[in-house]
Amino acid sequence: MNREKRNKNKFEKNILCIGGGYVGGSTMAVIAQKCPQYKVTVVDINPNRINQWNSDNLPIYEPGLDKIVHSIRGKNLFFSTDIEKGIKDAEIIFVSVNTPTKTFGAGAGMAADLQYWEKTARQIRDAAESNKIIVDKGTLPVKTALAMERILTATDNDIHFDVISNPEFLAEGTAISDLTNPDRVLIGSRETPSGIKARNEVVDIYKNWVPEDRIITSDIWSTELSKLTANAFLAQRISSINAMSALCEKTDANVNEIAHAIGMDHRIGDKFLNASVGFGGSCFQKDILNLVYLCRHYGLDEVANYWQSIVRINDYQKDRFIFNMLHTMFNTLVDKKICLFGFAFKADTGDTRESPAIYISKKLLEEKAELIITDPRALENAKIDLNDTDGKIRYIEDPYKASTDCDAIAVMTEWDIYTKLDYEKIYQSMSKPAFIFDGRDILDHKKLFEIGFNVFPIGKPKLSHFKDK
Ligand SMILES: NC(=O)c1ccc[n+]([C@@H]2O[C@H](COP(=O)([O-])OP(=O)(O)OC[C@H]3O[C@@H](n4cnc5c(N)ncnc54)[C@H](O)[C@@H]3O)[C@@H](O)[C@H]2O)c1
């Protein structure tokens, strides 16, 4: 018996995940850690990604992920580019490929681009030699599971597939704690005997560490739509508090005081009420646009307009931020040196997808400002996002060096390190008058003002040394 075969027999189940990105990589690492009795393999079409997963330098940064991967890689967690073999060997296949917003043809700019997902469905169908449970882990339009079923059954072989929806609710930056201690796990299936049996098999995986009362089972369409709804509600809270921040700036009210006051109402709750330059990330905007597209498809224009307004407020918030910088800095940014503190779309991740910093950077460059970008984890992604061929951008990891000689600092990401810097030292090294635009409201504004900065928070009165204040 060869080694591979012995390994295969050693495990109770063979689990495969197609797509080794933020969700596939983190989710499978936690499943493998919590279930040493299963063999978990992650495959990806991108060989670089797989090489990175097999190296000391993982392709994504998530607190706690390195430790898990390094402790179980090669034991019951494997990363490979051999998708066909992975499909053949697995009884349960998670699909976690990217589903970005479509950029071409019908639904461009709104609908989900399902090309990667569809290719995966065909790959599974063509390589499978035995019955399988297919688990959609991505965020997909409602009724996608039906399309998956249709693709999988469009052959005359006798293989039976059950399609399960198990959307992932993790948030980047806290993925490992979200996965090890989830608020809930949602698993949806067809309400047929075979569908329910398959659903229970997926429940059995999570039961290894998630309390049963946090594992919800449901019908497949409600499950698919729950994920889009969750992201729409989360983004809506951010746009709601950001809309109030605009009004606060006009009325000398303080959005943080308001968030505190309303957050104590248990019907509202205190989470996700931080005003900011706007939300980013690979999911919120794409999922809301996808929801808007679905509503329009079903003729629900009023509902579509309601959800679309959340993205509009988010765009408005970013534009307001730029306008404020321009207006405050004497209506010209030409040749001004602006240091962006942070580029990741949120703290504790290197992910920059849809980060407000991308939009802000592009607008600042349009105004002919010079940009200096600092971030502890996201500089490589920032270089790719901005693709600066004119040499107008410098990337410097040390925030002290990055802000030296600058006219302004704009806080883009709520990294904790930015709250602990010596701003006296930073102020001394900057060009005067020195400005701080705190796009995350994380700094001690009063202290910064006392040091000498002109301080412009979000949704709070500005602290300016100019006489016209
Ligand atoms: N990132 C998040 O925070 C998050 C959270 C919850 C849900 N989701 C959803 O999960 C899904 C995956 O998101 P992600 O952020 O992990 O994406 P990602 O872009 O980080 O990773 C997707 C991976 O799939 C691979 N891939 C694409 N087509 C493939 C194919 N045919 N065969 C093998 N590999 C293939 C890509 O190379 C890539 O590595 C999306 O639907 C997303 O909306 C994401």
Side-chain angles (χ1 to χ4, degrees):
M1 204 188 281
N2 65 30
R3 189 157 175 254
E4 182 58 32
K5 194 137 192 186
R6 272 207 312 278
N7 263 348
K8 195 175 161 187
N9 293 343
K10 201 171 83 178
F11 296 105
E12 264 176 39
K13 271 192 218 305
N14 282 298
I15 294 176
L16 177 74
C17 179
I18 304 184
Y22 285 85
V23 169
S26 315
T27 316
M28 292 305 123
V30 170
I31 291 182
Q33 185 202 34
K34 299 292 182 187
C35 313
Q37 71 277 30
Y38 303 157
K39 179 180 176 185
V40 178
T41 307
V42 178
V43 289
D44 202 290
I45 33 164
N46 180 346
N48 290 337
R49 247 201 177 166
I50 292 300
N51 285 343
Q52 284 177 294
W53 280 116
N54 281 322
S55 75
D56 285 341
N57 221 346
L58 302 187
I60 61 171
Y61 171 70
E62 255 323 311
L65 178 64
D66 279 47
K67 208 168 149 211
I68 297 178
V69 171
H70 290 136
S71 68
I72 52 174
R73 193 173 57 198
K75 291 183 181 149
N76 72 326
L77 176 65
F78 300 88
F79 296 94
S80 161
T81 48
D82 195 342
I83 301 177
E84 210 179 301
K85 179 172 183 311
I87 293 170
K88 284 191 197 344
D89 288 350
E91 292 100 39
I92 300 182
I93 301 178
F94 286 83
V95 177
S96 186
V97 299
N98 35 329
T99 53
T101 303
K102 211 175 160 196
T103 53
F104 54 89
M110 301 290 282
D113 182 351
L114 295 176
Q115 60 170 310
Y116 308 102
W117 169 89
E118 202 208 294
K119 278 181 193 136
T120 309
R122 286 173 191 273
Q123 261 173 322
I124 296 172
R125 182 196 64 196
D126 295 343
E129 292 172 347
S130 55
N131 296 348
K132 311 219 176 267
I133 296 172
I134 311 302
V135 188
D136 266 332
K137 201 103 203 63
T139 307
L140 298 157
V142 57
K143 296 275 174 182
T144 303
L146 179 63
M148 175 70 94
E149 286 170 355
R150 288 184 174 153
I151 295 168
L152 293 172
T153 52
T155 55
D156 46 13
N157 64 28
D158 281 337
I159 297 175
H160 178 78
F161 295 98
D162 283 292
V163 178
I164 301 292
S165 170
N166 170 220
E168 184 46 63
F169 292 101
L170 69 78
E172 284 178 32
T174 52
I176 299 304
S177 58
D178 294 344
L179 286 164
T180 49
N181 186 23
D183 289 343
R184 76 327 205 167
V185 170
L186 177 59
I187 305 169
S189 71
R190 293 275 193 182
E191 302 283 331
T192 58
S194 160
I196 291 169
K197 186 164 171 280
R199 185 168 82 191
N200 288 339
E201 282 216 38
V202 181
V203 169
D204 284 344
I205 299 176
Y206 288 101
K207 269 194 341 205
N208 282 286
W209 78 97
V210 181
E212 277 189 56
D213 59 356
R214 287 200 227 157
I215 304 178
I216 312 169
T217 54
S218 179
D219 70 86
I220 197 154
W221 315 133
S222 308
T223 303
E224 287 182 327
L225 199 48
S226 294
K227 173 65 194 180
L228 284 184
T229 311
N231 275 358
F233 269 61
L234 290 169
Q236 183 243 47
R237 277 175 80 89
I238 299 176
S239 278
S240 295
I241 199 74
N242 282 345
M244 295 316 295
S245 76
L247 185 56
C248 286
E249 286 167 33
K250 296 280 182 208
T251 57
D252 286 339
N254 179 332
V255 76
N256 295 340
E257 296 293 320
I258 292 173
H260 180 63
I262 64 167
M264 286 180 75
D265 183 329
H266 72 274
R267 293 167 304 176
I268 297 173
D270 60 1
K271 303 272 172 5
F272 249 61
L273 286 178
N274 299 328
S276 70
V277 60
F279 60 74
S282 65
C283 295
F284 284 172
Q285 175 163 311
K286 115 176 141 62
D287 294 345
I288 292 179
L289 294 176
N290 182 351
L291 184 62
V292 169
Y293 186 74
L294 274 171
C295 294
R296 294 219 192 282
H297 170 80
Y298 289 108
L300 302 171
D301 281 340
E302 289 303 323
V303 184
N305 292 343
Y306 171 71
W307 289 116
Q308 190 151 21
S309 69
I310 287 154
V311 176
R312 274 200 213 109
I313 288 287
N314 200 47
D315 292 340
Y316 169 70
Q317 191 75 347
K318 289 181 275 189
D319 282 329
R320 252 172 29 81
F321 192 82
I322 283 289
F323 179 77
N324 192 20
M325 286 181 88
L326 177 64
H327 176 70
T328 307
M329 297 171 76
F330 320 115
N331 292 311
T332 175
L333 297 176
V334 177
D335 293 336
K336 293 220 166 91
K337 293 192 180 67
I338 315 250
C339 182
L340 298 193
F341 270 20
F343 201 84
F345 84 92
K346 66 189 285 196
D348 292 323
T349 178
D351 195 354
T352 58
R353 290 179 288 181
E354 301 294 341
S355 174
I358 299 176
Y359 183 81
I360 301 292
S361 298
K362 288 183 176 164
K363 287 284 171 190
L364 291 173
L365 290 173
E366 271 174 37
E367 293 293 341
K368 301 192 185 300
E370 264 182 57
L371 281 191
I372 301 92
I373 298 175
T374 179
D375 188 291
R377 296 278 173 186
L379 290 188
E380 288 314 307
N381 281 336
K383 284 177 197 165
I384 297 167
D385 293 327
L386 297 176
N387 185 25
D388 171 39
T389 44
D390 304 333
K392 280 278 184 190
I393 309 175
R394 281 182 291 145
Y395 300 90
I396 302 176
E397 202 170 313
D398 178 347
Y400 293 105
K401 287 190 185 137
S403 51
T404 299
D405 286 338
C406 284
D407 297 277
I409 292 170
V411 180
M412 294 284 102
T413 312
E414 69 279 23
W415 286 105
D416 200 34
I417 45 163
Y418 301 141
T419 64
K420 301 191 171 123
L421 298 174
D422 178 350
Y423 282 94
E424 188 79 57
K425 177 173 157 186
I426 289 178
Y427 180 74
Q428 296 309 331
S429 77
M430 284 177 69
S431 179
K432 308 292 177 322
F435 298 86
I436 287 198
F437 299 88
D438 186 354
R440 295 285 171 175
D441 276 356
I442 53 166
L443 303 181
D444 183 340
H445 301 136
K446 195 162 160 278
K447 195 169 157 201
L448 292 172
F449 177 67
E450 283 162 7
I451 290 172
F453 285 104
N454 296 294
V455 189
F456 295 80
I458 299 272
K460 286 165 80 173
K462 64 184 178 187
L463 296 168
S464 165
H465 293 283
F466 300 120
K467 289 210 166 54
D468 65 5
K469 66 193 172 188

